[in-house]
Amino acid sequence: WGAPPEFPELLMRPVPEAGERLRLLQRGDADIAYAMTPELAERKGPGFRFLRGPGLGVFYLGFDLRDRPGNPFTDRRVREAFHLALDREAIVHQVLRGRGGIPTQPVAPLVLGFEPDLPAPRHDPAQAMRLLAEAGHGRGLSVRLDFPRARSEVARLVQEQLGRVGVKLALNPLPGDGVHDLAKRGESSFFLAGWSCSSGEASEFFEFCLHTPQKGLGAGNYGFYSNPRVDEIAETNAALLDARKRQAALREAARIAMHELPLLPLFIEDNIFGVRDGLLVKPRADGEIRPAEVKRLRR
């Protein structure tokens, strides 16, 4: 199927640390270095270059929405206050070095089901403080954020921004899949996570992350959010043969999510990878590098 690849041999080497992947590229011991961080992508050197393109992954802050004593996040005013307290432009500028975007909803613009009419999130600390006061937290609120250790810079900025509206945020960095493990056990009330719609369709996000946990659906719904209409859309949209009707249903689910705020979309990270000179690699939205598509650069 398709044209034969230009290269007869491929060696894939798992290297967990991004800095080491870059060093292999710099030494000429690698031709492609996958998943570079924005900070590393600022480095320049002979013999290689960085390529980037818009990604599909949306990172978000999730809440535990179970009705339990002392849980502040069951009150939508608190969730909206956090939403307004966040300065996403600062996160994209300072953490991503401008290599990313601000999401208006839980899925990225390239995804089928993206709702283009949703507005960009506002940054309004004064209104955030008013909402917290209305919800009974005028003297402040203390919560813990569980997050992947690799996202420490983001977490510190979130801590600083929420601190300005009276939220005392304790940071709990976790290795590997620690956030997911904690959240699956129902032991995380506030967490940083992300989801990439690699299928290119918003349906997978609503099926996995926002459907009421039941019968194999909602496995990643760590906040235990439940909305009958979102469940219905998640279960039935794939059977809609009219693409316009399916698009409309998925967009409705996005509007519901941004009205009820079971999670707060935080940033979209560009896909960045390093490549040796002489190779032609086209960035893909899903972040994949398909070796058969790698070509020699002909001048």
Side-chain angles (χ1 to χ4, degrees), residues 226-237:
S226 182
N227 179 291
R229 179 55 182 155
V230 171
D231 288 354
E232 182 184 9
I233 292 170
E235 294 170 18
T236 63
N237 78 89

Side-chain angles (χ1 to χ4, degrees), residues 15 54 82 88 91 111 141 146 183 193-194 199 202 240 245 254 262 266 279:
V15 181
F82 278 44
R88 293 163 173 86
I91 292 173
V111 173
L141 177 63
D146 303 315
S199 68
L240 296 174
K245 291 181 179 179
L266 197 59
L279 293 179

Side-chain angles (χ1 to χ4, degrees), residues 115 233 243-253 255:
E115 171 55 279
I233 292 170
R244 290 169 298 183
K245 291 181 179 179
R246 187 177 183 213
Q247 181 93 291
L250 292 171
R251 287 177 174 178
E252 181 187 351
R255 291 194 299 272

Side-chain angles (χ1 to χ4, degrees), residues 53-66:
L56 298 179
V58 176
F59 288 84
Y60 61 86
L61 296 169
F63 303 105
D64 178 4
L65 300 179
R66 288 173 292 178

